[in-house]
Amino acid sequence: MTQDETDGRVTVRCGFCGTLNAVDVARAKDRPTCGDCGKPMLLDRPLKVSDEDFERTVLGASVPVLVDFYADWCGPCRLVAPLMDEIAHEHVGKMLVVKVDTDRAPGVSGRYGIRSIPTLILFEGGQESERSVGFEPERLRSLAARAVA
Ligand SMILES: [Zn+2]
């Protein structure tokens, strides 16, 4: 495969039927649909990722992926959530924004040493490139902007 053919390729789970789909995020605005159920693959908002999907969706992505490690009971995480929505919307087609519920994904949370939440990690080419702990809105905006530059 040439570089062009792998550009923007990500594997994400359909939010409606749960089937894994290979999608080119660069074409997110063309409203890609699930190959199985035909419903839209919504890439302009954070996608939920579990232990099971982390490898394929986050580490296997050919675009930067910003991962929000959170929990439902965490107050500051609720401050981060709308910012993640905003970043996903703003950078649609250039990066992926995903959410990992640390209570439901102990494997990945352990692997990346998540000790306090919210923890936000930017992955590029399957590697952690930057990490932000707590609610740091300016830092998150600037690291997202740098990642897609
Ligand atoms: Zn589907």
Side-chain angles (χ1 to χ4, degrees), residues 14-19 21 34-39 41:
C14 169
F16 297 99
C17 72
T19 301
N21 280 254
C34 171
D36 198 44
C37 73
K39 291 195 172 139
M41 299 294 293

Side-chain angles (χ1 to χ4, degrees), residues 18-149:
T19 301
L20 283 169
N21 280 254
V23 180
D24 182 354
V25 292
R27 300 181 64 188
K29 282 175 179 161
D30 298 343
R31 297 226 142 234
T33 52
C34 171
D36 198 44
C37 73
K39 291 195 172 139
M41 299 294 293
L42 305 170
L43 302 170
D44 61 345
R45 62 200 69 185
L47 306 167
K48 284 187 179 170
V49 168
S50 62
D51 272 352
E52 196 191 356
D53 297 341
F54 194 86
E55 186 97 28
R56 271 177 298 211
T57 301
V58 177
L59 304 185
S62 54
V63 293
V65 185
L66 182 59
V67 184
D68 174 12
F69 289 91
Y70 78 103
D72 288 332
W73 46 263
C74 153
C77 296
R78 289 185 204 116
L79 299 175
V80 172
L83 180 60
M84 290 298 103
D85 293 345
E86 185 189 312
I87 289 173
H89 189 74
E90 191 175 331
H91 298 304
V92 64
K94 292 182 179 165
M95 73 185 298
L96 211 56
V97 176
V98 310
K99 296 163 76 101
V100 172
D101 181 342
T102 51
D103 288 335
R104 292 180 186 177
V108 170
S109 306
R111 179 169 167 189
Y112 291 99
I114 307 301
R115 281 180 210 89
S116 68
I117 45 174
T119 290
L120 293 294
I121 303 182
L122 178 68
F123 288 87
E124 293 176 283
Q127 302 285 332
E128 173 174 346
S129 64
E130 281 194 66
R131 177 180 295 220
S132 158
V133 179
F135 183 51
E136 301 184 308
E138 291 316 312
R139 174 118 194 268
L140 291 174
R141 281 198 187 90
S142 70
L143 77 81
R146 188 198 54 71
V148 301

